[in-house]
């Protein structure tokens, strides 16, 4: 249904427009003045100054894979691949060989690629992971010289992610 | 010697020197640094810092980002020059040149100084200066229209159409608003106009010479109106915010130059800023005394008065005076450019119907009434 | 046959009519109240052992005159049974009352769900059934959010190869016995059963036996949970990524209806699709798994002239030139019974354009069974017969080729069929995989597999069915009908056929048995043709 927005009735002074223009100009020049006098707090000068030490624990940097002491946490359930809005994740699942110590887990990612050109650092993969295997760590300056270099493979993801303990007890013997 | 083959070689050489000097030593650097200034000032207005890093390459010397325009120019030159497959190539290439040329041409009749080494500091001292300006300035619309049309893209096309109607509308008030000036002076020559202001007070600052008469003070009212209308129309003519509808990013991506890249895009960019410089120069020349700066002086003979720095004087003082006048002129232009930028980062864009209404219903009428007002004053106080 | 007797049944307060013999669980589903179930399967007997389908039920209250008492609305008053009843093993009866969502029914479901889950492992992240698991679905809909179970869960064998193609995870089993009943009732190979009791009750194969029937993978389909999973599909892809394309199996003349599950141009599995005229809801393991050759590393995907990769136009031109290089009676065509009707029709057309009279398909007869698998392993023998491509001249062709009388041979989608090709002047082959014929080929043209193209085929019972395209052919390989169309164009000029619908239309116009049909009219379930 069409809805007509009521237009405000303007006084003559407002209709002249010029006072408002002058007021606007005054505001902008005030900001300029304050900047010039150094009264405004400005943004950080990035490569020289860094925010790293102030980063909160929940900071959402690059997604990484973490391992437990003796096993990969990811079981290649592909939920992160499913949830990832820009489809940055690509997983090839595989079966853990019977001889392995973590045989009980049965499944692991043969390949795990995150395309960091696509990733939007939304953190949904971390949120959806039933195994607490994927975490957004604090790395934010992800650069590369080629597209291929920007695809983080499993090795790189574990390198960035490191080891975590506890949290998931499901694969321990009794449970 | 000066008359070899019937050609005034001295005139030719000096004109050439002035042209090249103005374009390459003054206008182009000025354009680049206006862009830089725009970025810095806009940043400051928005509580940011703006480009403050590009300095001398391979060193850590930042020079507050003064190297940025040069880096930008290099980037524009090196970028891939893309001509989309669906465009009309000939006009597509022609348009950027047409966008840049008129602004530079206009500058040729503007006196940017008094005299230097006995040479008048104007490239072409023509009798119909202001008419020449209007004639050439209206050509700049061709660049935009052609760009819009030949790009074969809806955004460009809309930008081109908007630009045409906007320019045509505001040229009207632009032309009408300066008529009071010429009613007063009876001349179209820009050099004479500046000379008159130097001797008899700027049109907006009648503080000496003839300027102290009641007539000039009464005329200040219509001239002030002229000044306001003229300045606003210049904003519209140069497509600057709040009149930047031809390239309104939020609606048209980039308007008429959506399809342009690399140096062709840069030419549009330069054209826009060159037009700003030309516009400012015109305002300075017509209303703000051109190259003239009154120096308050006291001498026992004349008492308190404003001294005229004259480049025509002989010897070193003349040369210094001439240089001082040139500096004055570009100083005033720079102040106006800053004003342009300041306005841009303050005001939002008009809606298209508002823009047309403003042009046709207000400024056109005001300028017209203003002419009668001036004529009346001049009739009763000849 | 007279219309079945209609019975009045009250479901959730509304009176509805159902034919006599309808199961209560089906009647409720028809009335719009789906009842969760594990053990019930419409094609199998109902043991009623999972108790998931509990409802509240009642029968009409009888007056002293043995007539139902009528309520104010003129309907029988219902005497509700105070205990829950299972709905899967009962037929509807006149005046029956059913409540599917009463507090008692809801309470029962929640209770059954909780019991089913106490020993269930938290395997969903690694369980292939996740995403199509009834336990997951009903747990979300009817279960509790958490578990009250504090003791240790019962451990059962995991990752057991109960058969060559089926993996069992006994912990996930909900003991519904569907798999047992299927093996007993359908392939009649009673190999599965329960061992142990109570919480330790486990599904297992008979000692010294394996679940190795050619129908074993159907147990994976009907297993409502992830207890039985396909070893072939195990850990390959999550089911929610699979694009489902309705198609049919081309591994024998039965043509079981299937769903092809593919993702990003890779086929991951085939599952049977219900079609009571063809395959009920089953299919055989042989056909189900017979798709891996599509992604074989040996797959040929570039046209070749004398073994050298060539561009399509050059290869087509060369092939056409070869076919015309000798008189028509020295050319023969060996076509395939796994070609679609459209391709066979164009083959026939190519033959008539070139005046070739020697053409036949290669029969593939192997051992069939009396369930689904047909002895004829060509999916479209009937089509080849109908369109006149098969002609029982294969022996003549073989003899001609071997004697050197036939000098140019066109082989479509077949191997050399044991014929010695040594004396041929040139050989044009269209196919997917390298074989004796492709090795010798003067011109090889790569074509599309059954999941990579559209088209129709006629099964052994004369049912016209439709293939739908699930994935793109690899590399430069092209649809077979396009290759044949291009060959015809190269020998006889343009014919303006640009879509497979157009081929079907021409074929239907010229073939009385197909009159009035089109690819879209075939539909998902096929059309029965009247073939003489
Ligand atoms: S952070 Fe978001 S975008 Fe990046 S990989 Fe995870 S889900 Fe995808
Ligand atoms: S959601 Fe977690 S466990 Fe599943 S594939 Fe992603 S990282 Fe692995
Ligand atoms: S059977 Fe179902 S509920 Fe059990 S682990 Fe597999 S997906 Fe999960
Ligand atoms: S293995 Fe599956 S089909 Fe067989 S009894 Fe267990 S849950 Fe039912
Ligand atoms: S479905 Fe009725 S008892 Fe299992």
């Amino acid at each position: 249904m069409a809805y007509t927005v009521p237009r405000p009735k303007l006084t003559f002074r407002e209709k002249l427009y010029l006072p408002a223009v002058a007021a606007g100009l005054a505001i902008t020049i005030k900001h300029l003045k304050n900047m010039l006098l150094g009264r405004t707090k400005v943004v950080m000068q990035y490569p020289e100054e860094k925010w790293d030490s102030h980063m909160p624990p929940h900071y959402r940097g690059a997604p990484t894979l973490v391992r437990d002491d003796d096993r990969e946490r990811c079981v290649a359930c592909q939920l992160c691949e499913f949830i990832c809005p820009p489809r940055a994740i690509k997983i090839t699942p595989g079966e853990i060989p019977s001889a392995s110590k973590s045989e009980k887990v049965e499944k692991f990612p043969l390949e795990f690629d995150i395309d960091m050109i696509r990733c939007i650092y939304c953190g949904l993969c971390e949120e959806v992971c039933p195994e607490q295997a994927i975490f957004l760590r604090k790395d934010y300056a992800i650069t590369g010289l080629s597209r291929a270099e920007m695809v983080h493979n499993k090795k790189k993801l574990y390198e960035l992610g490191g080891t975590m303990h506890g949290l998931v007890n499901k694969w321990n013997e009794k449970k | 010697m000066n008359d070899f083959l019937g050609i005034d070689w001295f005139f030719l050489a000096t004109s050439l020197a002035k042209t090249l000097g103005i374009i390459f030593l003054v206008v182009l650097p000025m354009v680049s640094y206006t862009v830089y200034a725009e970025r810095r000032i806009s940043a400051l207005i928005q509580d940011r810092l703006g480009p403050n890093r590009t300095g001398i390459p391979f060193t850590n010397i930042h020079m507050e980002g003064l190297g940025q325009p040069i880096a930008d120019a290099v980037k524009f030159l090196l970028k891939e020059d893309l001509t989309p497959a669906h465009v009309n190539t000939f006009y597509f290439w022609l348009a950027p040149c047409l966008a840049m040329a008129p602004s530079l041409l206009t500058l040729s009749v503007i006196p940017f100084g008094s005299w230097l080494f006995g040479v008048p500091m104007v490239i072409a001292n023509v009798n119909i200066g202001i008419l020449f300006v209007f004639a050439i300035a209206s050509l700049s619309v061709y660049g935009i229209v052609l760009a819009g049309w030949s790009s074969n893209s809806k955004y460009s096309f809309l930008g081109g159409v908007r630009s045409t109607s906007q320019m045509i509308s505001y040229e009207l008030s632009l032309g009408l608003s300066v008529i009071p000036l010429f009613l007063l002076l009876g001349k179209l020559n820009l050099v004479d106009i500046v000379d008159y202001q130097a001797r008899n007070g700027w049109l907006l600052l009648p503080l000496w010479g003839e300027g102290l008469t009641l007539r000039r003070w009464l005329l200040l009212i219509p001239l002030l109106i002229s000044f306001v209308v003229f300045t606003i129309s210049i904003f519209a003519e140069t497509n600057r915010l709040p009149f930047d509808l031809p390239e309104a990013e939020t609606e048209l991506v980039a308007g008429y130059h959506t399809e342009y890249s690399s140096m062709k895009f840069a030419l549009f960019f330069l054209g826009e800023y060159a037009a700003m410089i030309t516009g400012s120069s015109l305002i300075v020349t017509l209303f703000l005394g051109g190259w003239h700066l009154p120096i308050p002086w006291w001498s026992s003979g004349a008492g308190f008065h404003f001294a005229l720095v004259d480049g025509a004087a002989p010897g070193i003082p003349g040369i210094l005076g001439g240089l001082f006048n040139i500096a004055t002129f570009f100083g005033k232009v720079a102040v106006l450019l800053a004003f342009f930028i300041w306005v841009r980062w303050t005001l939002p864009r008009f809606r298209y119907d508002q823009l047309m209404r403003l042009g046709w219903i207000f400024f056109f009428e005001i300028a017209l009434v203003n002419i009668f007002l001036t004529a009346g004053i001049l009739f009763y106080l000849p | 046959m007279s219309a079945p007797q209609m019975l009045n049944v009250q479901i959730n307060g509304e009176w509805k009519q159902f034919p006599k013999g309808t199961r209560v669980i089906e009647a409720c589903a028809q009335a719009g109240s789906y009842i969760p179930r594990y053990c019930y399967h419409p094609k199998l007997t109902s043991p009623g052992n999972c108790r998931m389908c509990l409802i509240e039920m009642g029968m009409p209250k009888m007056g002293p005159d043995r007539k139902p008492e009528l309520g104010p609305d003129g309907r029988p008053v219902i005497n509700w049974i105070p205990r829950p009843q299972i709905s899967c093993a009962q037929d509807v009866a006149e005046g029956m009352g059913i409540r599917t969502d009463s507090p008692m029914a809801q309470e029962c479901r929640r209770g059954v769900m909780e019991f089913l889950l106490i020993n269930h492992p938290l395997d969903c992240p690694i369980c292939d059934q996740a995403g199509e698991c009834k336990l997951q679905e009903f747990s979300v809909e009817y279960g509790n959010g958490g578990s009250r179970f504090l003791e240790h869960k019962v451990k059962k064998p995991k990752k057991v190869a109960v058969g060559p193609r089926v993996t069992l995870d006994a912990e996930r089993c909900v003991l519904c016995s569907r798999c047992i009943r299927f093996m007993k009732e359908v392939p009649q190979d009673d190999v599965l059963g329960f061992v142990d009791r109570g919480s330790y009750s486990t599904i297992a194969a008979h000692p010294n036996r394996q679940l190795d029937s050619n129908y074993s993978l159907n147990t994976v389909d009907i297993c409502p949970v992830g207890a039985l999973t396909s070893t072939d599909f195990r850990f390959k892809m999550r089911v929610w990524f699979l694009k489902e394309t309705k198609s049919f199996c081309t591994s024998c003349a039965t043509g079981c209806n299937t769903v092809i599950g593919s993702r990003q141009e890779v086929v991951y599995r085939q599952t049977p699709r219900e079609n009571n005229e063809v395959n009920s809801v089953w299919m055989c393991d042989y056909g189900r798994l017979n798709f891996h050759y599509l992604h074989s590393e040996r797959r040929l995907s570039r046209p070749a002239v004398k073994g050298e990769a060539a561009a399509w136009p050059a290869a087509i031109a060369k092939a056409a030139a070869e076919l015309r290089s000798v008189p028509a009676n020295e050319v023969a065509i060996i076509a395939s019974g796994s070609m679609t009707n459209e391709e066979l029709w164009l083959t026939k057309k190519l033959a008539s354009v070139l005046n070739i009279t020697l053409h036949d398909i290669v029969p593939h007869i192997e051992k069939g069974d009396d369930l689904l698998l047909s002895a004829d392993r060509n999916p479209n023998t009937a089509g080849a017969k109908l369109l006149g491509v098969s002609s029982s001249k294969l022996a003549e062709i073989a003899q001609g080729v071997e004697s050197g009388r036939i000098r140019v041979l066109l082989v479509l989608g077949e191997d050399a069929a044991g014929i010695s090709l040594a004396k041929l002047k040139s050989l044009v082959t269209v196919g997917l995989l390298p074989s004796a014929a492709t090795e010798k080929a003067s011109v090889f043209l790569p074509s599309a597999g059954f999941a990579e193209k559209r088209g129709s085929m006629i099964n052994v019972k004369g049912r016209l069915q439709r293939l739908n395209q699930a994935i793109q052919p690899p590399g430069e390989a092209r649809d077979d009908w396009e290759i044949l169309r291009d060959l015809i164009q190269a020998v006889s000029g343009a014919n303006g056929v640009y879509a497979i619908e157009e081929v079907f239309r021409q074929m239907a116009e010229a073939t009385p048995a197909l009159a009035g049909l089109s690819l879209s009219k075939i539909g998902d379930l096929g059309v029965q043709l009247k073939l003489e």
Side-chain angles (χ1 to χ4, degrees):
Chain A
M1 237 202 53
Y3 177 76
T4 313
V5 182
R7 296 265 172 215
K9 264 231 154 321
L10 300 182
T11 61
F12 175 71
R13 197 184 130 86
E14 283 166 339
K15 272 192 203 148
L16 260 185
Y17 196 62
L18 287 174
V21 170
L25 288 171
I27 290 176
T28 42
I29 202 83
K30 201 175 84 205
H31 277 265
L32 184 108
K33 187 193 77 195
N34 286 343
M35 275 300 280
L36 287 178
L37 296 180
R39 289 196 198 139
T40 317
K41 193 164 167 261
V42 292
V43 291
M44 196 170 273
Q45 290 300 291
Y46 167 58
E48 293 90 13
E49 307 169 34
K50 279 185 180 153
W51 198 48
D52 296 11
S53 52
H54 304 273
M55 257 189 231
H58 52 264
Y59 182 80
R60 298 204 311 254
T64 64
L65 288 177
V66 301
R67 42 169 69 252
D68 235 321
D69 288 331
D70 49 352
R71 65 171 188 92
E72 291 180 40
R73 277 201 175 169
C74 173
V75 299
C77 74
Q78 294 180 288
L79 282 175
C80 50
E81 179 173 0
F82 183 67
I83 200 88
C84 177
R87 312 231 166 140
I89 303 181
K90 188 163 185 290
I91 299 169
T92 314
E95 186 162 0
I96 298 181
S98 306
S100 161
K101 240 180 30 188
S102 45
E103 186 214 338
K104 181 171 188 283
V105 186
E106 292 185 46
K107 203 177 173 192
F108 82 115
L110 217 51
E111 281 163 38
F112 198 121
D113 293 337
I114 302 186
D115 187 343
M116 293 310 295
I117 299 179
R118 286 190 156 213
C119 175
I120 55 171
Y121 302 84
C122 64
L124 287 181
C125 48
E126 173 176 339
E127 202 160 315
V128 81
C129 179
E131 301 292 334
Q132 317 247 33
I134 193 163
F135 279 90
L136 268 66
R137 289 287 166 102
K138 292 183 181 170
D139 317 71
Y140 53 84
I142 307 292
T143 54
L145 294 176
S146 66
R147 273 163 198 275
E149 208 176 304
M150 291 298 284
V151 177
H152 285 180
N153 59 13
K154 202 169 115 172
K155 186 160 158 281
K156 173 94 185 171
L157 291 170
Y158 277 125
E159 230 165 66
L160 292 174
T163 307
M164 266 196 188
H165 307 276
L167 288 173
V168 191
N169 291 319
K170 177 168 135 37
W171 301 110
N172 305 346
E173 218 21 71
K174 292 274 181 206
K175 258 292 165 193
Chain B
M1 184 57 195
N2 272 351
D3 235 2
F4 181 61
L5 293 178
I7 299 170
D8 187 343
W9 288 100
F10 177 73
F11 176 72
L12 203 64
T14 51
S15 295
L16 203 63
K18 282 185 285 189
T19 314
L20 294 180
I22 275 288
I23 291 185
F24 289 105
L25 295 183
V26 185
V27 177
L28 288 186
M30 204 155 168
V31 163
S32 317
Y33 280 88
T34 315
V35 178
Y36 170 74
E38 171 127 42
R39 292 173 69 180
R40 288 309 298 265
I41 293 178
S42 67
L44 293 176
I45 284 178
Q46 298 170 343
D47 297 351
R48 296 182 286 117
L49 289 178
N52 64 346
R53 302 194 158 259
T54 321
I56 300 167
F58 308 117
T59 67
N60 250 345
I61 305 167
H62 291 334
M63 300 198 309
E64 279 299 307
L66 278 174
Q68 187 68 42
I70 298 160
D72 281 347
V74 171
K75 184 191 83 168
F76 274 129
L77 284 170
L78 293 184
K79 274 204 155 183
E80 183 187 357
D81 192 356
L82 201 89
T83 306
H86 53 75
V87 302
N88 185 323
T89 320
F90 177 72
Y91 292 109
F92 189 77
W93 279 74
L94 187 65
C97 315
L98 284 185
M100 181 77 187
S103 327
L104 294 180
L105 273 180
T106 327
L107 277 179
S108 64
V109 295
I110 291 178
F112 53 89
S114 51
W115 294 78
L116 192 61
F117 306 120
V119 180
M121 282 297 106
V122 55
I123 295 170
N125 185 358
V126 289
N127 281 336
I128 48 154
I130 191 73
L131 284 189
F132 177 83
V133 170
F134 286 149
I136 299 292
S138 14
L139 287 183
S140 65
V141 73
Y142 282 103
I144 294 180
V145 169
L146 282 182
W149 175 77
S150 66
S151 291
N152 204 359
S153 131
K154 49 181 171 289
Y155 298 121
S156 306
F157 184 71
L158 280 175
V161 169
R162 282 186 179 189
S163 162
T164 325
S165 34
Q166 176 175 330
M167 289 214 166
I168 290 173
S169 314
Y170 279 83
E171 228 148 62
L172 216 62
S173 27
L174 195 71
L176 287 178
S177 66
V178 289
I179 289 184
L181 227 80
F182 302 111
L183 283 179
L184 169 65
L185 299 179
K187 289 185 195 132
L188 296 175
N189 187 321
L190 292 172
V191 176
D192 291 351
I193 291 175
V194 177
D195 279 344
Y196 172 85
Q197 294 189 72
R199 261 161 259 291
N200 296 316
W202 301 358
L203 289 183
L204 291 187
L205 198 70
L207 286 184
W208 58 92
E210 194 190 286
L212 291 169
T213 57
L214 172 67
R215 174 170 172 264
R216 278 293 299 281
W217 277 89
L218 263 184
L219 277 173
L220 195 55
I221 301 165
L223 285 177
L224 208 59
I225 297 176
S226 282
F227 171 71
V228 171
V229 174
F230 188 81
T231 310
I232 294 178
S233 303
I234 287 283
F235 269 94
E237 283 286 293
T238 50
N239 296 330
R240 290 287 295 185
L241 223 102
F243 299 101
D244 71 335
L245 288 112
E247 42 192 301
E249 299 87 354
T250 35
E251 305 152 26
L252 296 183
V253 185
Y256 56 89
H257 56 61
T258 305
E259 306 289 331
Y260 283 89
S261 58
S262 164
M263 205 51 212
K264 291 210 283 300
F265 166 74
L267 278 178
F268 279 115
F269 208 61
L270 294 183
E272 188 186 322
Y273 282 89
M276 259 166 77
I277 293 176
T278 314
S280 307
S281 311
L282 263 181
I283 299 174
V284 168
T285 309
L286 290 178
F287 296 96
L288 300 176
W291 45 261
H292 173 255
L293 189 73
I295 312 281
W297 201 260
W298 194 88
S299 73
S300 47
F304 179 81
H305 67 283
F306 290 102
L308 176 71
V309 182
D310 193 354
I316 300 293
I319 295 176
L320 287 181
L323 288 177
F324 177 74
N325 284 337
I326 295 177
T328 309
F329 180 80
F330 286 110
K332 288 182 188 176
V333 170
V335 171
L336 266 182
L337 287 176
F339 178 69
F340 265 79
I341 293 169
W342 178 21
V343 170
R344 168 166 180 193
W345 294 99
T346 302
L347 298 185
R349 182 182 305 131
F350 280 109
R351 216 168 54 209
Y352 201 71
D353 61 320
Q354 292 171 330
L355 173 98
M356 281 294 153
R357 203 171 121 87
L358 206 64
W360 286 99
I361 299 194
F362 291 103
F363 291 150
F364 178 55
E365 265 76 351
I366 289 175
L368 215 56
V369 170
N370 198 23
I371 293 173
F372 288 109
L373 185 65
T374 320
I377 294 174
L378 287 176
F379 183 75
Y380 289 108
L381 296 169
Chain C
M1 208 174 85
S2 65
Q5 187 194 347
M6 298 300 277
L7 303 175
N8 293 303
V9 180
Q10 189 206 50
I11 297 181
N12 292 334
E14 276 184 50
W15 286 94
K16 301 241 157 82
Q17 286 202 317
F18 295 98
K20 192 172 180 187
T22 309
R23 287 278 157 99
V24 170
I25 198 169
E26 296 288 351
C28 291
Q30 283 169 29
S33 329
Y34 181 84
I35 297 175
R37 75 282 301 260
Y38 290 110
C39 68
Y40 174 73
H41 190 281
K43 306 282 179 188
L44 300 174
T45 53
S46 306
N49 63 358
C50 76
R51 317 313 279 182
M52 189 61 199
C53 63
L54 289 170
I55 49 155
E56 205 177 342
M57 198 166 81
M59 294 306 282
K61 190 173 185 181
M62 293 297 175
D65 51 354
R66 304 309 300 157
K67 289 254 168 64
E69 273 177 31
L70 295 187
D73 57 351
R75 297 286 199 171
V77 177
I78 291 171
N79 221 352
W80 292 98
I81 302 173
R83 293 164 278 113
Q85 305 286 318
I86 54 171
S87 60
C88 64
Q90 284 262 3
D91 286 355
V92 289
E94 178 62 35
M96 186 185 253
I98 297 164
R99 289 181 185 151
T100 62
D101 275 322
S102 66
M104 178 162 79
Q106 288 180 2
E107 190 48 41
C108 288
R109 272 178 220 147
R110 195 161 330 120
V112 172
M113 275 315 298
E114 191 166 10
F115 271 124
L116 284 176
L117 286 173
I118 51 173
N119 281 318
H120 200 81
L122 290 165
D123 270 358
C124 300
I126 58 161
C127 177
D128 274 330
Q129 189 81 0
E132 51 184 15
C133 172
K134 290 287 175 242
L135 200 57
Q136 281 185 330
E137 285 166 24
F138 296 153
S139 175
V140 169
E141 244 167 295
Y142 310 107
N144 298 319
S147 166
R148 295 186 283 165
F149 189 67
L150 300 176
E151 293 77 8
H152 288 318
K153 290 185 173 180
V154 174
K155 296 273 149 196
K156 289 184 191 174
K158 290 174 90 73
K159 211 171 144 186
V160 184
V162 276
R165 293 173 292 276
V166 180
T167 305
L168 165 70
D169 187 316
E171 282 184 357
R172 296 181 196 152
C173 173
V174 294
L175 303 174
C176 71
S177 82
R178 275 188 187 186
C179 52
I180 303 174
R181 278 173 287 140
F182 170 80
M183 287 313 292
K184 188 168 168 181
E185 293 164 19
V186 183
Q188 296 177 357
D189 176 10
D190 195 0
V191 55
L192 294 175
F194 289 129
V195 295
D196 294 337
R197 322 186 100 205
S199 303
Y200 295 91
S201 188
T202 303
I203 196 100
H206 190 277
N208 306 325
R209 279 294 318 274
Q210 272 200 317
L211 177 60
D212 54 4
S213 145
N214 189 29
Y215 293 87
S216 65
L217 280 171
N218 291 300
T219 60
V220 173
D221 298 330
I222 57 171
C223 178
V225 294
L228 295 175
T229 52
S230 159
T231 311
D232 176 66
F233 181 62
R234 184 173 159 85
F235 297 166
K236 289 281 162 31
M237 189 44 65
R238 303 320 304 258
V239 295
W240 55 76
F241 286 120
L242 297 181
K243 180 180 88 178
E244 303 201 321
T245 311
K246 289 178 182 164
S247 187
F248 63 88
C249 172
T250 57
S251 296
C252 82
T254 307
C256 296
N257 287 212
T258 61
V259 171
I260 299 176
S262 64
R263 183 187 186 210
Q264 292 174 349
E265 310 307 333
V266 178
V267 174
Y268 286 96
R269 69 171 182 185
Q270 280 192 100
T271 43
R273 177 162 63 92
E274 176 162 358
N275 186 345
N276 290 327
E277 305 298 324
V278 182
N279 58 320
S280 185
V281 292
W282 321 118
M283 77 184 290
C284 76
D285 295 1
Y286 159 73
R288 184 195 298 250
L289 299 179
N290 191 13
F291 65 87
H292 290 292
Y293 68 89
L294 292 177
H295 307 301
S296 155
E297 279 178 7
R298 298 162 59 233
R299 179 89 189 258
L300 300 167
S301 60
R302 298 199 62 183
V305 173
K306 298 224 189 310
E308 300 285 317
W312 268 107
I316 292 278
K318 177 78 177 141
E322 296 290 354
L323 290 178
R324 277 188 304 189
S325 61
V326 293
N329 59 0
E330 293 176 18
V331 187
I333 300 177
I334 296 180
S336 159
S338 50
M339 291 165 77
T340 64
N341 292 331
E342 292 76 6
E343 292 155 18
L344 290 165
W345 161 255
L346 290 174
T347 307
K348 178 79 182 155
K349 208 162 162 182
L350 179 68
S352 62
V353 165
L354 290 168
N355 289 323
I356 299 171
T357 50
L358 289 174
H359 47 74
D360 199 359
I361 63 166
V362 183
H364 291 285
I365 306 293
E366 281 166 47
K367 203 166 140 337
D369 60 27
D370 45 12
L371 200 54
L372 291 173
L373 186 62
S374 160
D376 180 2
R377 297 293 159 85
N378 272 336
N380 201 16
T381 312
K385 200 181 285 168
L386 176 72
L387 297 167
V389 176
S390 66
S391 62
S392 59
K393 285 186 188 151
L394 191 61
E396 188 185 335
I397 296 173
Q399 195 262 328
V401 170
E402 277 168 5
S403 70
R405 192 177 63 72
I406 291 172
R407 291 162 62 209
V408 174
L409 184 63
L410 171 61
V411 179
L412 301 167
E414 284 290 352
D415 197 354
I419 305 171
S420 147
L421 305 166
K423 291 200 174 149
L424 279 180
K425 170 176 170 289
S426 61
L427 171 66
V428 179
T429 342
V430 177
L432 310 178
L433 294 172
S435 66
T438 59
E439 262 159 41
K440 292 234 168 47
S442 332
V443 183
F444 169 75
L445 305 170
S447 64
F450 74 97
E452 298 159 356
K453 60 186 178 187
R454 297 171 64 205
S456 61
M457 293 190 187
I458 303 172
N459 82 351
V460 68
K461 290 188 198 148
R463 195 173 185 81
L464 181 66
Q465 308 199 95
R466 188 177 63 189
L467 285 178
N468 287 318
Q469 185 177 14
I471 56 172
Q472 295 293 328
E476 291 175 37
R478 290 174 67 186
D479 229 337
D480 303 57
W481 78 266
E482 287 180 335
I483 299 175
L484 288 162
R485 187 261 329 258
D486 287 355
L487 276 177
I488 295 174
Q489 276 187 6
V491 297
S492 72
N495 55 14
V497 176
Y498 299 108
I500 191 157
E501 282 80 4
E502 186 64 17
V503 183
F504 194 96
R505 195 184 59 74
Q506 290 186 358
M507 176 172 72
E509 272 170 16
T511 317
L514 300 176
L517 287 171
S518 70
L519 262 188
S520 59
K521 278 189 195 151
I522 296 175
D524 290 334
L525 294 180
V527 175
Q528 185 64 42
L529 299 181
K530 286 187 193 63
L531 303 174
E532 62 283 356

